[in-house]
Structures are given as C-alpha cells and as structure tokens.
Amino acid sequence: MRRTLTWVLSALLVAGAWLLTMQIPDDIHETDAFTAPIDAEGWARTDDLAVRVTSAAHTRALHTDSWSSDAEWVAVTVEYRALRDEQYSRGNIARAVLTIGEYTYGASTRVPDHPPLDIARIGATSTVTLAFEVPDGSVVDAARLEIWDQLSYPTLGTVLVFELDDIPVVDDVAFQEEDLLW
Amino acid sequence: MRKTADKVPTAWFGAILTGLFLAATAMFGSLNTAAVPDPPVAELGQEIVTDAFAITVHAVSTEVTGGHTVITMAATMTNSEPSVVGLTWGEGTQREGIVNLTDSSLIAVQGVAEVQYVASRYADSAAAVSLQPGVPAEVLLSWTFLPEDVPSGELTFEIWNGTRTGGQWFISERQTYEARDDVAATLTVVPEPTSAEEDE
C-alpha cells in the first residue's frame, strides 16, 4: 500500500510539473500584451489611452492636397484621448497594425510631411486616420486593428483590439493631411 | 553450435565497425569543412528572391559629396514575410523585421566596413520605409563611406536570406529583426558616377 502510494504521488508530481510547464509562455511571448475589453460605446482603454474606431474603408486611391496614391489602402479613422497623464506622450498611439487574413500591415509612413501625432489630451477627443497600404486586388472583408500606447509598446502592457467587419469599398478617400497619423 | 558461436571474435566487432565508419566518412571528406557553393550571381534588373523579401536592383550610382562617397541603389522591394518589415531601424514606430541591423544588414556592400544604409522612397520621398506584405515599394538605399574605403571600379553587393528573430534590448525594448542566414545572391555592378562626382 505504501509503495503504491509512493508511485501515485510521484506520478502526480510529474503530471503537475508537466501541466505547469505547459502554462508557462515561451520566451517570445512573455511580453505579450493583454487585450483590453471594448465597452458599449466602442471605447477600449489602456491605463493611459482610450481609442474607438469610427469608420473604416477599403479604397482604391488615397489623396491629400499635396499627395496622392493609386495603391490600395484600408483607411481606419479612430478617436483617441489620454486618460491619466499627458506628460511624455504616454497616451499617444505608439503602434498600429492591421491584420487581414494571415498578413499584418503597419500604419503607413508614406504620406509626405505627415505631422507629428497630436499629443493625446485628457478630456479632449482627437481624431486621426490610420492608413494601411495593401496589395492590389486585396479582398478585405474583415480585419483586426491592434493599437498600443507609448507605455504598452514595446514593453509589457495592454493592446487595444478592434474587429472590423463589413468594410466598405470606395473609389477614393480624401484626407486633410493633419488628419493622417502616419 | 554454441561452441562455434563462442569462437566468433565479437570483441573485434566494435573496432571493425569503427574502422568502416571512419573509412566511409573519409570518402566524403571526413571532418573537412564542407565546401559551400558560391551564391547565385544576379544582374541589374533581375529579381532576387530571399526568405524575407524580393529585390530588383535597377541602378547603382556613386557621388562624392562633403568628403564622402555615397553609394545609392535604386530598387524595387517586396516584402515576402507575412507581416510588415522595417527597412531601417527605428523608423516611425515600426520595430519589426528590421533588415538593416549594424554589422548584419541583409543588403550590404562587399569588401568594405559594414555601414547601415539610409532608405527612402523615390515615389513620394517618404523618409521612413516600411515594406508591407506583398506590396512592392520603389526605394533608394544609400551608404556613406570614406572615399578611400570604397573600391574603385566594380562594386559587389551581398543580398542575404534572413530569419525573423525576436529579441529584447536592454530590459524593456522588444523588437524582431531579420537575422542573416546565408547569401541569397551577389550583384556586381559598375556604379554610374553622378554629376557631383564628375564636377570634382
């Protein structure tokens, strides 16, 4: 009986160690961010930044007053505001990527003279359009937008995730340059 | 039967097998370093496909300016990875898939000290260049050297295969970059001198 108990306990310890090992993330994932929930009004929040998506469009052309592109783009307009601290641009959008299918696109830097991002203000909502260049002929039925604030990226933090469905296709989108983030 | 089996010198089996193994390995060069085949040689206008991106070099020029020699490559690049690739470190907020790390850029001038290039787009002069998956980009890559460091005549570029690698810098910054694997192709060209150089 005592011998059986020893074997059972040993097996349980081994199984427990294995289960614990399975729960430990790989090194590459140990700084993965947490996903923030979205409230009823569409806002998602980190400690420092609140964001919500107001519109999205898949466009065959994009232009400002001084620049144009005939490439294909997905333009996502978001509202954002700082929540806690305006110092050090903590509430600013630091990174934005759009995942369509298995491909992940970064917010484009192509727009010339793109202005520095307005510092997120506490109590004041700013609007900005994120422009993602996609391959010609892309089918963009749905996409996932991920946004990090200055403290969340690239360090451990919170990621704001928005699932975008039924993205309309439009021929052209015109922006004021000050509306464009990157 | 058992007596016969006992007479078999099994103690020799190990030595015999070891000898056969060494003889077989000697036939294939033993412990000599295996010869690495030369990488493919590409030409101007030819697409070079690496694990991370495809690049077609259209022209290479040199310019002597401010006491330095600037080598500029005009190329079309397309990201082959499933996510955005940064052509330079720290552009905007992209810190992923950087292909231009110090001493290990995936696009390098052979035979000179490794220098990071500066990237720009010649379509709309955007200084920061990210390669979006599957989207071709017309880019200019520029290296600045001391004139005495640049070989006269032909220049050879190495285009490397890369593997997306994660890493942490210091204690907080995290990025991914393309680590060098092997040379996907070399490209030897005679750069065209620009007017600034001809004036000197």
Side-chain angles (χ1 to χ4, degrees):
Chain A
M1 179 64 185
R2 186 173 176 180
R3 187 167 180 169
T4 304
L5 189 62
T6 302
W7 276 103
V8 169
L9 283 174
S10 300
L12 285 175
L13 284 171
V14 170
W18 180 79
L19 283 173
L20 187 61
T21 304
M22 291 296 101
Q23 296 303 313
I24 298 174
D26 297 337
D27 286 349
I28 193 68
H29 295 299
E30 67 183 6
T31 54
D32 279 358
F34 300 100
T35 300
I38 300 175
D39 69 16
E41 295 180 340
W43 289 94
R45 295 171 174 81
T46 68
D47 286 344
D48 294 284
L49 172 71
V51 177
R52 74 172 170 183
V53 175
T54 57
S55 68
H58 177 197
T59 177
R60 309 295 184 196
L62 182 70
H63 74 269
T64 68
D65 291 341
S66 64
W67 175 86
S68 66
S69 166
D70 291 332
E72 293 198 20
W73 299 80
V74 176
V76 183
T77 301
V78 301
E79 293 179 333
Y80 64 98
R81 61 176 183 244
L83 296 177
R84 190 169 63 171
D85 193 341
E86 295 179 2
Q87 273 197 314
Y88 313 117
S89 307
R90 280 181 174 177
N92 282 11
I93 295 173
R95 177 181 185 246
V97 296
L98 189 75
T99 300
I100 302 168
E102 59 189 51
Y103 297 104
T104 300
Y105 306 87
S108 180
T109 56
R110 288 191 59 189
V111 182
D113 302 322
H114 57 84
L117 177 64
D118 282 343
I119 294 174
R121 299 295 181 193
I122 296 174
T125 299
S126 302
T127 302
V128 71
T129 299
L130 308 168
F132 301 90
E133 189 174 8
V134 297
D136 288 347
S138 293
V139 177
V140 187
D141 293 331
R144 185 175 68 249
L145 175 68
E146 296 175 61
I147 289 177
W148 282 257
D149 68 24
Q150 293 284 3
L151 284 187
S152 298
Y153 181 77
T155 57
L156 179 67
T158 306
V159 58
L160 308 179
V161 179
F162 303 90
E163 301 293 344
L164 310 176
D165 299 317
D166 302 323
I167 298 173
V169 178
V170 298
D171 290 333
D172 189 17
V173 172
F175 291 126
Q176 300 299 312
E177 287 188 356
E178 58 267 27
D179 292 336
L180 287 158
L181 175 54
W182 288 296
Chain B
M1 182 66 181
R2 182 176 186 118
K3 283 188 175 180
T4 307
D6 288 344
K7 290 180 181 176
V8 176
T10 51
W12 288 85
F13 280 10
I16 292 169
L17 287 173
T18 303
L20 287 173
F21 173 75
L22 290 174
T25 54
M27 289 173 61
F28 294 97
S30 193
L31 298 179
N32 291 337
T33 304
V36 178
D38 290 336
V41 177
E43 299 176 347
L44 281 181
Q46 178 184 344
E47 185 181 53
I48 301 167
V49 179
T50 76
D51 296 340
F53 55 81
I55 180 171
T56 303
V57 179
H58 305 299
V60 176
S61 64
T62 60
E63 178 182 359
V64 177
T65 177
H68 291 84
T69 297
V70 180
I71 299 171
T72 302
M73 170 190 285
T76 301
M77 296 184 70
T78 306
N79 175 4
S80 314
E81 296 273 16
S83 60
V84 60
V85 159
L87 272 187
T88 57
W89 159 251
E91 63 176 45
T93 60
Q94 298 298 341
R95 292 174 183 164
E96 292 154 272
I98 308 300
V99 303
N100 192 28
L101 291 184
T102 307
D103 297 335
S104 61
S105 172
L106 297 193
I107 307 168
V109 186
Q110 195 178 67
V112 295
E114 293 225 17
V115 172
Q116 286 181 301
Y117 58 72
V118 175
S120 61
R121 288 178 185 263
Y122 58 83
D124 45 29
S125 302
V129 180
S130 292
L131 299 179
Q132 309 296 342
V135 181
E138 312 289 328
V139 301
L140 294 173
L141 308 179
S142 298
W143 294 260
T144 301
F145 298 101
L146 292 172
E148 58 268 28
D149 291 341
V150 181
S152 58
E154 292 181 333
L155 285 175
T156 297
F157 294 89
E158 294 173 345
I159 315 296
W160 289 73
N161 284 311
T163 299
R164 186 67 66 95
T165 305
Q168 291 192 346
W169 290 54
F170 306 110
I171 58 171
S172 62
E173 285 202 88
R174 179 181 177 188
Q175 67 157 3
T176 61
Y177 60 95
E178 297 284 346
R180 276 182 177 176
D181 282 339
D182 55 359
V183 178
T186 61
L187 173 74
T188 300
V189 295
V190 177
E192 302 168 10
T194 63
S195 56
E197 185 177 36
E198 289 164 348
D199 291 342
E200 292 201 358

